Amino acid sequence: MKSIAKASLLAAALLSPLSLSASQAEEKKDFKVCWTIYAGWMPWGYISESGIMKKWADKYDITVEVTQFNDYIESINQYTAGEYDACAMTNMDALSIPSGGGVDTTVLIAGDYSNGNDGLILKEGGDLASIKGQNVNLVELSVSHYFLARALESVGLSEKDITVVNTSDADMLAVYDNADITAVATWNPMLSEILSTKKGEMVYDSSKIPGEIIDAMMVNTETLADNPALGKALAGAWFEVLALMASDTPEGTAALESMAAASGTDLEGYKAQLAATALFYQPDDLLAFTSDDKLKETMKFVATFLFDHGILGEGAQSAEFVGIEFADGSVFGDSSNVKLRFDNSFVEMAAKGAL
């Protein structure tokens, strides 16, 4: 998950925002949702295969096709191009690719934040400060890049003190044994697999920046406005599965085992990944997170990072180029160019048992 590339961003910027919005803004019955492998997104696969998605879709007289992508970037590009109505992605990637490219996007379910699922590994160990002068393999201009910048800040370093080596998430495990690789920044399950080799030490992880790397289900805003049934079905299915995961029942264990197998690990391995994931099992907990003023500061920080790296959007003149609307109606950035919205209404329905 969690990767962006310059070519992908350019492709998104070249798309016509007006044509994208117009193609999706209509009442309809059939919807397409996509996701990629990551601890906090595995419930989407189970939602589909278990029939729970169909149950909730049937309730609202719609169909929802849930598709797993192997390439995270491609899933976001397909969503941005209007081929999918909703897509699992991070807050940072939503702001930079669809929203930065002009596609109005709503954070329907901010399902979790990384609380240790992203990590920085030094192959030879040592403390974080010893990274100075090293090459760091990561997915350039990704959440890993942002995470690295935050790690460096914590010890008074900056990107000029290291060299970023762009490496695909798909290649990270394969290249780790190369002698010229001394440091990597990546996420689970790759992070856990590298650490399991005992060839390296994790010197910084995302638990040091809680609440900043948010993993969400994003929906095209106009599609959602014209088809609230989609939001209700997705939220209903999501919280049903999370309740199952937290139930400590044979059915809950079976669900977790299914998710573990789909992510390439066993039950204990998946539970370890979940332990590093601040998953909001209860709607009220999610509402508290998205209503907290800290979220506003986080998004300002993310927007500044994206602007400083030239990936906030074509023609961005400042970190406030893209307007971000929060659940209380306040806006950071350009209020005439709001393209990312935190909408609590469907999670509030779940909290009230109104779905």
Side-chain angles (χ1 to χ4, degrees):
M1 86 170 211
K2 305 180 175 176
S3 54
I4 42 181
K6 292 177 180 176
S8 299
L9 186 63
L10 285 172
L14 291 172
L15 295 168
S16 165
L18 292 177
S19 65
L20 290 174
S21 297
S23 69
Q24 296 192 1
E26 59 182 354
E27 291 186 26
K28 56 183 185 177
K29 294 290 187 179
D30 303 317
F31 302 92
K32 295 168 65 178
V33 176
C34 56
W35 67 286
T36 47
I37 295 290
Y38 170 66
W41 290 336
M42 298 313 299
W44 290 113
Y46 188 77
I47 282 168
S48 176
E49 70 177 43
S50 65
I52 291 174
M53 187 72 261
K54 184 179 186 307
K55 182 186 79 173
W56 280 91
D58 287 348
K59 178 175 181 176
Y60 292 105
D61 194 27
I62 60 175
T63 65
V64 180
E65 177 185 342
V66 181
T67 301
Q68 179 199 328
F69 273 66
N70 293 324
D71 187 321
Y72 174 62
I73 281 299
E74 183 60 21
S75 70
I76 299 178
N77 285 343
Q78 290 288 318
Y79 164 80
T80 303
E83 294 298 319
Y84 284 81
D85 303 290
C87 181
M89 66 185 88
T90 68
N91 54 324
M92 174 175 157
D93 293 336
L95 183 58
S96 64
I97 302 182
S99 296
V103 179
D104 200 323
T105 293
T106 290
V107 185
L108 180 73
I109 304 169
D112 73 85
Y113 63 81
S114 177
N115 199 31
N117 263 326
D118 293 75
L120 177 60
I121 299 173
L122 299 185
K123 189 180 283 186
E124 299 302 322
D127 59 15
L128 176 54
S130 65
I131 199 173
K132 186 174 182 178
Q134 294 193 39
N135 293 339
V136 183
N137 290 72
L138 51 73
V139 181
E140 191 175 13
L141 304 180
S142 72
V143 166
S144 289
H145 201 153
Y146 170 84
F147 164 76
L148 173 65
R150 296 289 277 131
L152 294 171
E153 278 183 0
S154 73
V155 288
L157 299 176
S158 67
E159 286 186 61
K160 64 180 175 57
D161 296 307
I162 55 93
T163 300
V164 168
V165 180
N166 189 27
T167 307
S168 167
D169 53 327
D171 296 333
M172 195 68 70
L173 290 172
V175 304
Y176 185 71
D177 278 337
N178 292 354
D180 59 340
I181 292 183
T182 62
V184 300
T186 189
W187 58 83
N188 276 321
M190 292 86 71
L191 179 66
S192 296
E193 292 188 45
I194 291 173
L195 290 172
S196 71
T197 68
K198 308 299 183 183
K199 299 175 182 177
E201 181 180 347
M202 186 159 66
V203 296
Y204 193 85
D205 68 63
S206 53
S207 67
K208 305 291 195 302
I209 51 170
E212 292 189 25
I213 301 175
I214 304 168
D215 307 297
M217 178 55 70
M218 307 289 183
V219 183
N220 179 280
T221 299
E222 294 187 43
T223 297
L224 185 61
D226 289 339
N227 303 276
L230 174 62
K232 293 177 182 179
L234 290 175
W238 175 260
F239 284 110
E240 178 175 337
V241 169
L242 261 62
L244 184 62
M245 292 169 66
S247 66
D248 195 24
T249 63
E251 294 78 12
T253 298
L256 290 170
E257 288 175 337
S258 176
M259 294 178 210
S263 63
T265 187
D266 57 16
L267 180 60
E268 292 309 308
Y270 184 53
K271 284 184 175 180
Q273 292 180 29
L274 286 177
T277 309
L279 201 60
F280 298 109
Y281 289 93
Q282 298 296 327
D284 283 337
D285 293 335
L286 175 50
L287 291 172
F289 175 73
T290 51
S291 300
D292 194 314
D293 282 345
K294 184 178 185 299
L295 177 62
K296 299 177 183 179
E297 294 305 311
T298 294
M299 292 309 300
K300 290 178 186 178
F301 199 99
V302 170
T304 300
F305 173 85
L306 292 172
F307 175 71
D308 289 346
H309 286 77
I311 51 175
L312 184 56
E314 190 74 16
Q317 299 298 310
S318 76
E320 299 186 22
F321 172 66
V322 178
I324 305 169
E325 184 176 78
F326 298 95
D328 62 3
S330 63
V331 174
F332 166 76
D334 188 349
S335 59
S336 66
N337 187 40
V338 173
K339 297 298 180 185
L340 186 64
R341 305 167 193 268
F342 286 84
D343 181 355
N344 279 349
S345 59
F346 295 92
V347 178
E348 287 172 349
M349 290 180 201
K352 296 174 182 175
L355 292 174

